[in-house]
Amino acid sequence: MKRSREKAASELFAALYPRLAGWVRRLVDDDETAHEIASEAFTRLWARWTTVAEPNGFLYVTAANIVRDHWRKLERERRAVRRAKTEAVVAPHPEQTDPSVRLLVQSLPERLRVPILLHYYADMPIREVAALTGRREGTVKADLHAARELLRAHLRRSVDHTL
């Protein structure tokens, strides 16, 4: 039994790891970090192997959560560097807003962020996103629409602010 479990896990890894690591790479913009995150997602899957009904969905949702934690860590580091620079300078400079899409997606509530990551970054059809998140297709479509509207409004404010 253990041998077949290991074989199934090995086959799943061979089939899904390249796509998962590539998806994460697009999110974090760093090969090493992408491989660490994809590997961690597989490690967490392996730890729950017998209780996970949908390994593909588990991997993507787990990787999305690890990416979110990575982004949060980077933002904390950026804030710490900005604070250190501000404290070192007598007259602090006004904080620049960063209109990068990655930071905007990161700022979305999880309910909207996960469908965006799965649909647009992992190229999953709405039907698959709905299955992986346990939501109806109409709900996923509505969440994608709401997320796009929030992103569009934020980008407009960023552009207007820079003019």
Side-chain angles (χ1 to χ4, degrees):
M1 182 70 167
K2 184 177 181 180
R3 188 60 114 191
S4 65
R5 177 180 170 220
E6 289 176 3
K7 185 174 191 249
S10 179
E11 289 172 357
L12 183 72
F13 183 84
L16 297 180
Y17 184 84
R19 183 175 176 203
L20 180 67
W23 175 65
V24 172
R25 167 68 174 84
R26 289 193 309 264
L27 296 174
V28 298
D29 202 28
D30 178 65
D31 285 334
E32 186 176 336
T33 303
H35 286 288
E36 288 174 10
I37 291 171
S39 296
E40 177 63 21
F42 271 95
T43 300
R44 292 181 187 183
L45 172 63
W46 180 250
R48 295 165 185 79
W49 184 254
T50 58
T51 61
V52 173
E54 177 51 57
N56 191 27
F58 180 89
L59 286 169
Y60 276 91
V61 171
T62 300
N65 289 335
I66 297 170
V67 165
R68 180 198 63 224
D69 294 343
H70 171 74
W71 285 343
R72 286 179 177 165
K73 178 183 173 208
L74 288 178
E75 185 56 32
R76 284 191 304 270
E77 290 170 357
R78 277 190 213 105
R79 277 192 222 122
V81 168
R82 276 196 302 261
R83 267 194 311 273
K85 286 180 180 178
T86 301
E87 291 168 3
V89 176
V90 177
H93 299 285
E95 190 175 313
Q96 294 290 332
T97 58
D98 185 355
S100 79
V101 174
R102 179 175 299 138
L103 291 176
L104 295 177
V105 170
Q106 174 188 346
S107 71
L108 290 172
E110 185 171 354
R111 171 182 71 80
L112 302 177
R113 184 178 56 249
V114 170
I116 286 284
L117 292 175
L118 294 174
H119 183 66
Y120 290 107
Y121 288 87
D123 298 323
M124 291 185 181
I126 289 173
R127 176 179 72 274
E128 193 172 343
V129 174
L132 293 176
T133 59
R135 299 179 191 158
R136 293 187 170 150
E137 286 184 38
T139 303
V140 170
K141 289 177 184 177
D143 288 346
L144 289 170
H145 175 76
R148 286 190 305 267
E149 289 302 312
L150 283 171
L151 294 172
R152 187 176 293 120
H154 191 78
L155 285 170
R156 271 195 206 110
R157 282 193 305 273
S158 295
V159 169
D160 290 345
H161 180 68
T162 58
L163 296 178

mmCIF file of all heavy atoms in Angstrom, residues 42-86:
data_model
loop_
_atom_site.group_PDB
_atom_site.id
_atom_site.type_symbol
_atom_site.label_atom_id
_atom_site.label_comp_id
_atom_site.label_asym_id
_atom_site.label_seq_id
_atom_site.Cartn_x
_atom_site.Cartn_y
_atom_site.Cartn_z
ATOM 1 N N PHE A 42 3.632 20.914 -2.255
ATOM 2 C CA PHE A 42 3.648 19.453 -2.375
ATOM 3 C C PHE A 42 3.937 18.789 -1.031
ATOM 4 O O PHE A 42 3.370 17.748 -0.716
ATOM 5 C CB PHE A 42 4.662 18.997 -3.430
ATOM 6 C CG PHE A 42 4.071 18.917 -4.806
ATOM 7 C CD1 PHE A 42 4.193 19.982 -5.684
ATOM 8 C CD2 PHE A 42 3.377 17.799 -5.219
ATOM 9 C CE1 PHE A 42 3.640 19.923 -6.952
ATOM 10 C CE2 PHE A 42 2.814 17.730 -6.485
ATOM 11 C CZ PHE A 42 2.946 18.793 -7.356
ATOM 12 N N THR A 43 4.806 19.396 -0.234
ATOM 13 C CA THR A 43 5.100 18.845 1.094
ATOM 14 C C THR A 43 3.841 18.831 1.951
ATOM 15 O O THR A 43 3.549 17.852 2.642
ATOM 16 C CB THR A 43 6.203 19.673 1.780
ATOM 17 O OG1 THR A 43 7.377 19.631 0.970
ATOM 18 C CG2 THR A 43 6.520 19.145 3.161
ATOM 19 N N ARG A 44 3.080 19.920 1.902
ATOM 20 C CA ARG A 44 1.836 19.988 2.675
ATOM 21 C C ARG A 44 0.803 18.997 2.154
ATOM 22 O O ARG A 44 0.041 18.411 2.932
ATOM 23 C CB ARG A 44 1.287 21.409 2.656
ATOM 24 C CG ARG A 44 2.172 22.373 3.431
ATOM 25 C CD ARG A 44 1.612 23.776 3.431
ATOM 26 N NE ARG A 44 2.556 24.709 4.038
ATOM 27 C CZ ARG A 44 2.306 25.989 4.226
ATOM 28 N NH1 ARG A 44 1.120 26.496 3.859
ATOM 29 N NH2 ARG A 44 3.205 26.776 4.770
ATOM 30 N N LEU A 45 0.776 18.813 0.828
ATOM 31 C CA LEU A 45 -0.128 17.804 0.262
ATOM 32 C C LEU A 45 0.272 16.417 0.752
ATOM 33 O O LEU A 45 -0.582 15.628 1.154
ATOM 34 C CB LEU A 45 -0.091 17.851 -1.269
ATOM 35 C CG LEU A 45 -0.847 16.734 -1.991
ATOM 36 C CD1 LEU A 45 -2.342 16.791 -1.674
ATOM 37 C CD2 LEU A 45 -0.610 16.812 -3.485
ATOM 38 N N TRP A 46 1.548 16.117 0.715
ATOM 39 C CA TRP A 46 2.038 14.798 1.141
ATOM 40 C C TRP A 46 1.655 14.530 2.597
ATOM 41 O O TRP A 46 1.266 13.426 2.945
ATOM 42 C CB TRP A 46 3.546 14.714 0.951
ATOM 43 C CG TRP A 46 4.120 13.409 1.360
ATOM 44 C CD1 TRP A 46 4.916 13.163 2.437
ATOM 45 C CD2 TRP A 46 3.932 12.146 0.727
ATOM 46 N NE1 TRP A 46 5.238 11.840 2.513
ATOM 47 C CE2 TRP A 46 4.639 11.176 1.470
ATOM 48 C CE3 TRP A 46 3.227 11.721 -0.389
ATOM 49 C CZ2 TRP A 46 4.665 9.832 1.138
ATOM 50 C CZ3 TRP A 46 3.256 10.380 -0.726
ATOM 51 C CH2 TRP A 46 3.968 9.446 0.030
ATOM 52 N N ALA A 47 1.734 15.572 3.441
ATOM 53 C CA ALA A 47 1.394 15.412 4.860
ATOM 54 C C ALA A 47 -0.088 15.072 5.053
ATOM 55 O O ALA A 47 -0.451 14.463 6.055
ATOM 56 C CB ALA A 47 1.746 16.682 5.632
ATOM 57 N N ARG A 48 -0.917 15.456 4.098
ATOM 58 C CA ARG A 48 -2.368 15.208 4.207
ATOM 59 C C ARG A 48 -2.864 14.278 3.100
ATOM 60 O O ARG A 48 -4.043 14.282 2.771
ATOM 61 C CB ARG A 48 -3.115 16.542 4.113
ATOM 62 C CG ARG A 48 -2.835 17.480 5.248
ATOM 63 C CD ARG A 48 -3.304 18.898 4.902
ATOM 64 N NE ARG A 48 -2.962 19.863 5.904
ATOM 65 C CZ ARG A 48 -1.768 20.413 6.063
ATOM 66 N NH1 ARG A 48 -0.772 20.087 5.278
ATOM 67 N NH2 ARG A 48 -1.542 21.312 6.998
ATOM 68 N N TRP A 49 -1.975 13.554 2.501
ATOM 69 C CA TRP A 49 -2.248 12.763 1.297
ATOM 70 C C TRP A 49 -3.526 11.944 1.384
ATOM 71 O O TRP A 49 -4.332 11.930 0.461
ATOM 72 C CB TRP A 49 -1.052 11.849 1.014
ATOM 73 C CG TRP A 49 -1.195 11.066 -0.246
ATOM 74 C CD1 TRP A 49 -1.470 9.749 -0.354
ATOM 75 C CD2 TRP A 49 -1.090 11.563 -1.585
ATOM 76 N NE1 TRP A 49 -1.522 9.375 -1.674
ATOM 77 C CE2 TRP A 49 -1.305 10.477 -2.450
ATOM 78 C CE3 TRP A 49 -0.857 12.805 -2.146
ATOM 79 C CZ2 TRP A 49 -1.277 10.598 -3.832
ATOM 80 C CZ3 TRP A 49 -0.823 12.927 -3.519
ATOM 81 C CH2 TRP A 49 -1.030 11.838 -4.334
ATOM 82 N N THR A 50 -3.748 11.276 2.492
ATOM 83 C CA THR A 50 -4.910 10.383 2.588
ATOM 84 C C THR A 50 -6.225 11.124 2.804
ATOM 85 O O THR A 50 -7.297 10.536 2.630
ATOM 86 C CB THR A 50 -4.714 9.360 3.731
ATOM 87 O OG1 THR A 50 -4.513 10.066 4.955
ATOM 88 C CG2 THR A 50 -3.532 8.447 3.451
ATOM 89 N N THR A 51 -6.178 12.405 3.166
ATOM 90 C CA THR A 51 -7.411 13.136 3.449
ATOM 91 C C THR A 51 -7.778 14.151 2.364
ATOM 92 O O THR A 51 -8.840 14.758 2.442
ATOM 93 C CB THR A 51 -7.303 13.879 4.793
ATOM 94 O OG1 THR A 51 -6.227 14.814 4.728
ATOM 95 C CG2 THR A 51 -7.081 12.901 5.942
ATOM 96 N N VAL A 52 -6.923 14.337 1.367
ATOM 97 C CA VAL A 52 -7.178 15.339 0.322
ATOM 98 C C VAL A 52 -7.887 14.663 -0.852
ATOM 99 O O VAL A 52 -7.342 13.755 -1.480
ATOM 100 C CB VAL A 52 -5.857 16.002 -0.151
ATOM 101 C CG1 VAL A 52 -6.117 16.915 -1.338
ATOM 102 C CG2 VAL A 52 -5.219 16.775 0.987
ATOM 103 N N ALA A 53 -9.092 15.139 -1.123
ATOM 104 C CA ALA A 53 -9.889 14.553 -2.203
ATOM 105 C C ALA A 53 -9.454 15.081 -3.572
ATOM 106 O O ALA A 53 -9.479 14.357 -4.561
ATOM 107 C CB ALA A 53 -11.370 14.852 -1.977
ATOM 108 N N GLU A 54 -9.069 16.341 -3.640
ATOM 109 C CA GLU A 54 -8.715 16.976 -4.907
ATOM 110 C C GLU A 54 -7.295 17.553 -4.795
ATOM 111 O O GLU A 54 -7.116 18.722 -4.443
ATOM 112 C CB GLU A 54 -9.731 18.081 -5.233
ATOM 113 C CG GLU A 54 -9.449 18.875 -6.478
ATOM 114 C CD GLU A 54 -9.194 18.029 -7.717
ATOM 115 O OE1 GLU A 54 -10.065 17.221 -8.072
ATOM 116 O OE2 GLU A 54 -8.124 18.162 -8.306
ATOM 117 N N PRO A 55 -6.260 16.749 -5.096
ATOM 118 C CA PRO A 55 -4.873 17.207 -4.922
ATOM 119 C C PRO A 55 -4.530 18.435 -5.758
ATOM 120 O O PRO A 55 -3.831 19.330 -5.283
ATOM 121 C CB PRO A 55 -4.031 16.005 -5.357
ATOM 122 C CG PRO A 55 -4.933 14.839 -5.367
ATOM 123 C CD PRO A 55 -6.324 15.349 -5.521
ATOM 124 N N ASN A 56 -5.022 18.522 -6.984
ATOM 125 C CA ASN A 56 -4.712 19.659 -7.845
ATOM 126 C C ASN A 56 -5.195 20.966 -7.207
ATOM 127 O O ASN A 56 -4.457 21.937 -7.106
ATOM 128 C CB ASN A 56 -5.345 19.451 -9.221
ATOM 129 C CG ASN A 56 -4.862 20.448 -10.244
ATOM 130 O OD1 ASN A 56 -3.756 20.973 -10.155
ATOM 131 N ND2 ASN A 56 -5.697 20.709 -11.230
ATOM 132 N N GLY A 57 -6.431 20.973 -6.779
ATOM 133 C CA GLY A 57 -6.982 22.168 -6.132
ATOM 134 C C GLY A 57 -6.260 22.486 -4.844
ATOM 135 O O GLY A 57 -5.961 23.647 -4.551
ATOM 136 N N PHE A 58 -5.973 21.459 -4.057
ATOM 137 C CA PHE A 58 -5.244 21.659 -2.805
ATOM 138 C C PHE A 58 -3.907 22.325 -3.079
ATOM 139 O O PHE A 58 -3.514 23.274 -2.384
ATOM 140 C CB PHE A 58 -5.029 20.312 -2.100
ATOM 141 C CG PHE A 58 -4.276 20.432 -0.804
ATOM 142 C CD1 PHE A 58 -4.952 20.656 0.381
ATOM 143 C CD2 PHE A 58 -2.891 20.340 -0.774
ATOM 144 C CE1 PHE A 58 -4.260 20.781 1.578
ATOM 145 C CE2 PHE A 58 -2.194 20.463 0.406
ATOM 146 C CZ PHE A 58 -2.875 20.686 1.595
ATOM 147 N N LEU A 59 -3.197 21.851 -4.104
ATOM 148 C CA LEU A 59 -1.876 22.412 -4.421
ATOM 149 C C LEU A 59 -1.971 23.893 -4.795
ATOM 150 O O LEU A 59 -1.188 24.721 -4.306
ATOM 151 C CB LEU A 59 -1.227 21.633 -5.564
ATOM 152 C CG LEU A 59 -0.698 20.261 -5.206
ATOM 153 C CD1 LEU A 59 -0.338 19.483 -6.468
ATOM 154 C CD2 LEU A 59 0.513 20.385 -4.286
ATOM 155 N N TYR A 60 -2.918 24.247 -5.665
ATOM 156 C CA TYR A 60 -3.019 25.634 -6.118
ATOM 157 C C TYR A 60 -3.488 26.573 -5.000
ATOM 158 O O TYR A 60 -2.966 27.675 -4.859
ATOM 159 C CB TYR A 60 -3.918 25.752 -7.354
ATOM 160 C CG TYR A 60 -3.155 25.449 -8.617
ATOM 161 C CD1 TYR A 60 -3.094 24.169 -9.129
ATOM 162 C CD2 TYR A 60 -2.454 26.448 -9.284
ATOM 163 C CE1 TYR A 60 -2.371 23.878 -10.269
ATOM 164 C CE2 TYR A 60 -1.727 26.178 -10.425
ATOM 165 C CZ TYR A 60 -1.687 24.891 -10.920
ATOM 166 O OH TYR A 60 -0.961 24.619 -12.047
ATOM 167 N N VAL A 61 -4.452 26.143 -4.225
ATOM 168 C CA VAL A 61 -4.913 26.989 -3.124
ATOM 169 C C VAL A 61 -3.813 27.137 -2.072
ATOM 170 O O VAL A 61 -3.565 28.232 -1.568
ATOM 171 C CB VAL A 61 -6.229 26.439 -2.518
ATOM 172 C CG1 VAL A 61 -6.587 27.171 -1.238
ATOM 173 C CG2 VAL A 61 -7.359 26.559 -3.535
ATOM 174 N N THR A 62 -3.114 26.045 -1.769
ATOM 175 C CA THR A 62 -2.003 26.108 -0.816
ATOM 176 C C THR A 62 -0.905 27.018 -1.337
ATOM 177 O O THR A 62 -0.396 27.879 -0.604
ATOM 178 C CB THR A 62 -1.445 24.690 -0.544
ATOM 179 O OG1 THR A 62 -2.492 23.889 -0.001
ATOM 180 C CG2 THR A 62 -0.284 24.731 0.430
ATOM 181 N N ALA A 63 -0.539 26.859 -2.606
ATOM 182 C CA ALA A 63 0.495 27.724 -3.193
ATOM 183 C C ALA A 63 0.052 29.188 -3.179
ATOM 184 O O ALA A 63 0.859 30.082 -2.880
ATOM 185 C CB ALA A 63 0.821 27.266 -4.609
ATOM 186 N N ALA A 64 -1.215 29.447 -3.470
ATOM 187 C CA ALA A 64 -1.713 30.831 -3.438
ATOM 188 C C ALA A 64 -1.592 31.417 -2.033
ATOM 189 O O ALA A 64 -1.214 32.580 -1.864
ATOM 190 C CB ALA A 64 -3.175 30.881 -3.902
ATOM 191 N N ASN A 65 -1.882 30.622 -1.026
ATOM 192 C CA ASN A 65 -1.744 31.093 0.352
ATOM 193 C C ASN A 65 -0.281 31.350 0.720
ATOM 194 O O ASN A 65 0.033 32.330 1.396
ATOM 195 C CB ASN A 65 -2.367 30.094 1.329
ATOM 196 C CG ASN A 65 -3.878 30.092 1.249
ATOM 197 O OD1 ASN A 65 -4.494 31.075 0.844
ATOM 198 N ND2 ASN A 65 -4.484 28.980 1.607
ATOM 199 N N ILE A 66 0.616 30.486 0.262
ATOM 200 C CA ILE A 66 2.038 30.686 0.543
ATOM 201 C C ILE A 66 2.544 31.924 -0.194
ATOM 202 O O ILE A 66 3.333 32.704 0.351
ATOM 203 C CB ILE A 66 2.858 29.430 0.165
ATOM 204 C CG1 ILE A 66 2.422 28.226 1.010
ATOM 205 C CG2 ILE A 66 4.351 29.683 0.358
ATOM 206 C CD1 ILE A 66 2.998 26.892 0.542
ATOM 207 N N VAL A 67 2.081 32.139 -1.420
ATOM 208 C CA VAL A 67 2.454 33.345 -2.181
ATOM 209 C C VAL A 67 1.965 34.585 -1.436
ATOM 210 O O VAL A 67 2.701 35.566 -1.294
ATOM 211 C CB VAL A 67 1.884 33.297 -3.618
ATOM 212 C CG1 VAL A 67 1.947 34.663 -4.284
ATOM 213 C CG2 VAL A 67 2.640 32.269 -4.450
ATOM 214 N N ARG A 68 0.732 34.526 -0.937
ATOM 215 C CA ARG A 68 0.196 35.661 -0.168
ATOM 216 C C ARG A 68 1.084 35.957 1.033
ATOM 217 O O ARG A 68 1.428 37.101 1.295
ATOM 218 C CB ARG A 68 -1.229 35.357 0.295
ATOM 219 C CG ARG A 68 -1.843 36.513 1.100
ATOM 220 C CD ARG A 68 -3.048 36.084 1.913
ATOM 221 N NE ARG A 68 -2.626 35.091 2.886
ATOM 222 C CZ ARG A 68 -3.289 33.969 3.149
ATOM 223 N NH1 ARG A 68 -4.401 33.686 2.527
ATOM 224 N NH2 ARG A 68 -2.844 33.117 4.052
ATOM 225 N N ASP A 69 1.492 34.915 1.754
ATOM 226 C CA ASP A 69 2.387 35.108 2.902
ATOM 227 C C ASP A 69 3.724 35.692 2.462
ATOM 228 O O ASP A 69 4.287 36.553 3.139
ATOM 229 C CB ASP A 69 2.600 33.787 3.641
ATOM 230 C CG ASP A 69 1.330 33.267 4.294
ATOM 231 O OD1 ASP A 69 0.367 34.056 4.464
ATOM 232 O OD2 ASP A 69 1.295 32.064 4.630
ATOM 233 N N HIS A 70 4.221 35.238 1.322
ATOM 234 C CA HIS A 70 5.478 35.767 0.777
ATOM 235 C C HIS A 70 5.339 37.253 0.468
ATOM 236 O O HIS A 70 6.210 38.059 0.806
ATOM 237 C CB HIS A 70 5.855 34.979 -0.484
ATOM 238 C CG HIS A 70 6.996 35.543 -1.240
ATOM 239 N ND1 HIS A 70 8.303 35.434 -0.810
ATOM 240 C CD2 HIS A 70 7.037 36.237 -2.407
ATOM 241 C CE1 HIS A 70 9.096 36.035 -1.684
ATOM 242 N NE2 HIS A 70 8.350 36.528 -2.654
ATOM 243 N N TRP A 71 4.232 37.621 -0.185
ATOM 244 C CA TRP A 71 4.001 39.028 -0.506
ATOM 245 C C TRP A 71 3.914 39.868 0.765
ATOM 246 O O TRP A 71 4.434 40.984 0.824
ATOM 247 C CB TRP A 71 2.719 39.187 -1.306
ATOM 248 C CG TRP A 71 2.817 38.764 -2.742
ATOM 249 C CD1 TRP A 71 3.944 38.560 -3.481
ATOM 250 C CD2 TRP A 71 1.728 38.511 -3.615
ATOM 251 N NE1 TRP A 71 3.613 38.187 -4.749
ATOM 252 C CE2 TRP A 71 2.253 38.150 -4.874
ATOM 253 C CE3 TRP A 71 0.347 38.538 -3.451
ATOM 254 C CZ2 TRP A 71 1.460 37.844 -5.961
ATOM 255 C CZ3 TRP A 71 -0.449 38.226 -4.533
ATOM 256 C CH2 TRP A 71 0.103 37.889 -5.775
ATOM 257 N N ARG A 72 3.232 39.357 1.773
ATOM 258 C CA ARG A 72 3.117 40.081 3.046
ATOM 259 C C ARG A 72 4.494 40.290 3.672
ATOM 260 O O ARG A 72 4.788 41.365 4.186
ATOM 261 C CB ARG A 72 2.219 39.333 4.023
ATOM 262 C CG ARG A 72 0.762 39.430 3.676
ATOM 263 C CD ARG A 72 -0.068 38.639 4.661
ATOM 264 N NE ARG A 72 -1.480 38.774 4.373
ATOM 265 C CZ ARG A 72 -2.411 38.000 4.856
ATOM 266 N NH1 ARG A 72 -2.094 37.014 5.688
ATOM 267 N NH2 ARG A 72 -3.672 38.179 4.543
ATOM 268 N N LYS A 73 5.320 39.257 3.637
ATOM 269 C CA LYS A 73 6.669 39.362 4.183
ATOM 270 C C LYS A 73 7.461 40.426 3.428
ATOM 271 O O LYS A 73 8.146 41.260 4.042
ATOM 272 C CB LYS A 73 7.384 38.006 4.089
ATOM 273 C CG LYS A 73 8.796 38.030 4.596
ATOM 274 C CD LYS A 73 9.465 36.685 4.405
ATOM 275 C CE LYS A 73 10.933 36.785 4.771
ATOM 276 N NZ LYS A 73 11.746 35.844 4.059
ATOM 277 N N LEU A 74 7.368 40.412 2.103
ATOM 278 C CA LEU A 74 8.076 41.426 1.306
ATOM 279 C C LEU A 74 7.587 42.831 1.646
ATOM 280 O O LEU A 74 8.390 43.769 1.744
ATOM 281 C CB LEU A 74 7.885 41.164 -0.191
ATOM 282 C CG LEU A 74 8.606 39.969 -0.780
ATOM 283 C CD1 LEU A 74 8.265 39.830 -2.266
ATOM 284 C CD2 LEU A 74 10.105 40.072 -0.581
ATOM 285 N N GLU A 75 6.282 42.980 1.814
ATOM 286 C CA GLU A 75 5.730 44.303 2.151
ATOM 287 C C GLU A 75 6.217 44.754 3.521
ATOM 288 O O GLU A 75 6.546 45.928 3.716
ATOM 289 C CB GLU A 75 4.198 44.276 2.097
ATOM 290 C CG GLU A 75 3.565 45.641 2.315
ATOM 291 C CD GLU A 75 4.054 46.713 1.355
ATOM 292 O OE1 GLU A 75 4.383 46.403 0.194
ATOM 293 O OE2 GLU A 75 4.128 47.886 1.784
ATOM 294 N N ARG A 76 6.268 43.845 4.487
ATOM 295 C CA ARG A 76 6.802 44.212 5.816
ATOM 296 C C ARG A 76 8.256 44.643 5.703
ATOM 297 O O ARG A 76 8.666 45.622 6.329
ATOM 298 C CB ARG A 76 6.678 43.030 6.784
ATOM 299 C CG ARG A 76 5.280 42.791 7.302
ATOM 300 C CD ARG A 76 5.257 41.787 8.455
ATOM 301 N NE ARG A 76 5.852 40.517 8.145
ATOM 302 C CZ ARG A 76 5.208 39.473 7.635
ATOM 303 N NH1 ARG A 76 3.907 39.561 7.385
ATOM 304 N NH2 ARG A 76 5.822 38.339 7.386
ATOM 305 N N GLU A 77 9.021 43.938 4.884
ATOM 306 C CA GLU A 77 10.429 44.305 4.689
ATOM 307 C C GLU A 77 10.546 45.676 4.033
ATOM 308 O O GLU A 77 11.372 46.492 4.442
ATOM 309 C CB GLU A 77 11.148 43.243 3.848
ATOM 310 C CG GLU A 77 11.345 41.941 4.574
ATOM 311 C CD GLU A 77 11.840 40.818 3.664
ATOM 312 O OE1 GLU A 77 11.974 41.024 2.432
ATOM 313 O OE2 GLU A 77 12.094 39.721 4.197
ATOM 314 N N ARG A 78 9.699 45.932 3.012
ATOM 315 C CA ARG A 78 9.722 47.249 2.347
ATOM 316 C C ARG A 78 9.386 48.364 3.334
ATOM 317 O O ARG A 78 10.019 49.405 3.333
ATOM 318 C CB ARG A 78 8.726 47.270 1.184
ATOM 319 C CG ARG A 78 9.241 46.682 -0.065
ATOM 320 C CD ARG A 78 8.272 46.985 -1.230
ATOM 321 N NE ARG A 78 8.309 45.861 -2.131
ATOM 322 C CZ ARG A 78 7.373 44.925 -2.251
ATOM 323 N NH1 ARG A 78 6.266 45.004 -1.565
ATOM 324 N NH2 ARG A 78 7.510 43.928 -3.072
ATOM 325 N N ARG A 79 8.372 48.118 4.168
ATOM 326 C CA ARG A 79 8.002 49.132 5.159
ATOM 327 C C ARG A 79 9.142 49.391 6.135
ATOM 328 O O ARG A 79 9.400 50.526 6.502
ATOM 329 C CB ARG A 79 6.749 48.702 5.919
ATOM 330 C CG ARG A 79 5.480 49.012 5.185
ATOM 331 C CD ARG A 79 4.267 48.840 6.114
ATOM 332 N NE ARG A 79 3.231 48.178 5.363
ATOM 333 C CZ ARG A 79 2.654 47.039 5.690
ATOM 334 N NH1 ARG A 79 2.965 46.425 6.793
ATOM 335 N NH2 ARG A 79 1.731 46.515 4.923
ATOM 336 N N ALA A 80 9.801 48.330 6.556
ATOM 337 C CA ALA A 80 10.912 48.477 7.494
ATOM 338 C C ALA A 80 12.040 49.275 6.856
ATOM 339 O O ALA A 80 12.625 50.161 7.497
ATOM 340 C CB ALA A 80 11.418 47.109 7.944
ATOM 341 N N VAL A 81 12.337 49.007 5.596
ATOM 342 C CA VAL A 81 13.386 49.764 4.893
ATOM 343 C C VAL A 81 12.965 51.220 4.748
ATOM 344 O O VAL A 81 13.764 52.133 4.978
ATOM 345 C CB VAL A 81 13.699 49.119 3.520
ATOM 346 C CG1 VAL A 81 14.548 50.039 2.661
ATOM 347 C CG2 VAL A 81 14.373 47.773 3.707
ATOM 348 N N ARG A 82 11.699 51.454 4.386
ATOM 349 C CA ARG A 82 11.221 52.844 4.249
ATOM 350 C C ARG A 82 11.302 53.571 5.592
ATOM 351 O O ARG A 82 11.704 54.733 5.649
ATOM 352 C CB ARG A 82 9.778 52.869 3.735
ATOM 353 C CG ARG A 82 9.668 52.759 2.235
ATOM 354 C CD ARG A 82 8.286 53.184 1.734
ATOM 355 N NE ARG A 82 7.200 52.423 2.321
ATOM 356 C CZ ARG A 82 6.592 51.399 1.745
ATOM 357 N NH1 ARG A 82 6.966 50.994 0.563
ATOM 358 N NH2 ARG A 82 5.605 50.773 2.347
ATOM 359 N N ARG A 83 10.908 52.887 6.667
ATOM 360 C CA ARG A 83 10.994 53.511 7.996
ATOM 361 C C ARG A 83 12.432 53.854 8.346
ATOM 362 O O ARG A 83 12.709 54.931 8.846
ATOM 363 C CB ARG A 83 10.409 52.581 9.066
ATOM 364 C CG ARG A 83 8.960 52.824 9.363
ATOM 365 C CD ARG A 83 8.515 52.120 10.646
ATOM 366 N NE ARG A 83 8.892 50.723 10.727
ATOM 367 C CZ ARG A 83 8.175 49.716 10.246
ATOM 368 N NH1 ARG A 83 7.038 49.942 9.640
ATOM 369 N NH2 ARG A 83 8.598 48.474 10.378
ATOM 370 N N ALA A 84 13.327 52.924 8.058
ATOM 371 C CA ALA A 84 14.736 53.162 8.366
ATOM 372 C C ALA A 84 15.273 54.343 7.564
ATOM 373 O O ALA A 84 15.991 55.196 8.099
ATOM 374 C CB ALA A 84 15.560 51.916 8.082
ATOM 375 N N LYS A 85 14.905 54.415 6.291
ATOM 376 C CA LYS A 85 15.357 55.532 5.450
ATOM 377 C C LYS A 85 14.746 56.843 5.937
ATOM 378 O O LYS A 85 15.409 57.867 5.973
ATOM 379 C CB LYS A 85 14.983 55.294 3.987
ATOM 380 C CG LYS A 85 15.836 54.262 3.306
ATOM 381 C CD LYS A 85 15.400 54.089 1.869
ATOM 382 C CE LYS A 85 16.243 53.044 1.161
ATOM 383 N NZ LYS A 85 15.794 52.830 -0.213
ATOM 384 N N THR A 86 13.454 56.798 6.296
ATOM 385 C CA THR A 86 12.770 58.005 6.755
ATOM 386 C C THR A 86 13.391 58.511 8.048
ATOM 387 O O THR A 86 13.582 59.712 8.215
ATOM 388 C CB THR A 86 11.266 57.717 6.963
ATOM 389 O OG1 THR A 86 10.719 57.272 5.731
ATOM 390 C CG2 THR A 86 10.530 58.950 7.419
#
